[in-house]
Amino acid sequence: MRDAEPTADETAFFTELAKLVPDVQDWYHQDDDGTLWMIASYDFLRGNRIYQTLRLDYDGKNLRGGWSPACLHWDDGVRAADALIDTAGPAGLRLDCVDPTTDAATAAAWFHGHLNRGQAHRR
């Protein structure tokens, strides 16, 4: 986690995303070089137990999304690439950012693509 407040872009992005994907969660981080970024995540539940987490990194420049390898246990605060998350293919998301509102709509469509399948796909 980080001490810095969310940036204006992060706030605009997550405010819009939360309208479109109500149960999405936000987590804010900072790289060693000072770069601020966030994770938007969605937990898939069975009963009261999380069995999979879909996560998306957003830094105002890139959207990188895929399945968390550990339901955000050890990979929270670790960039998707460093956590070896598959951001390619049908389950992943790898795009350059446009603006926070457009980025949120893209992220929401990606989350809903998984939600509309009725259940999460196994990795």
Side-chain angles (χ1 to χ4, degrees), residues 21-72:
V21 185
D23 292 327
V24 71
Q25 298 177 52
D26 53 333
W27 314 93
Y28 297 88
H29 303 286
Q30 183 172 346
D31 290 337
D32 290 339
D33 68 2
T35 302
L36 302 177
W37 63 284
M38 66 173 292
I39 293 174
S41 67
Y42 187 94
D43 294 329
F44 290 82
L45 304 172
R46 284 196 184 121
N48 291 328
R49 188 171 182 194
I50 298 170
Y51 71 95
Q52 281 188 304
T53 299
L54 198 57
R55 62 168 277 174
L56 175 86
D57 294 10
Y58 174 79
D59 61 10
K61 296 179 184 175
N62 300 292
L63 292 172
R64 300 290 186 261
W67 294 108
S68 169
C71 299
L72 287 185

Side-chain angles (χ1 to χ4, degrees), residues 98-117:
V98 177
D99 64 69
T101 302
T102 302
D103 301 336
T106 300
W110 177 72
F111 278 110
H112 281 290
H114 290 284
L115 293 168
N116 290 338
R117 289 180 180 90

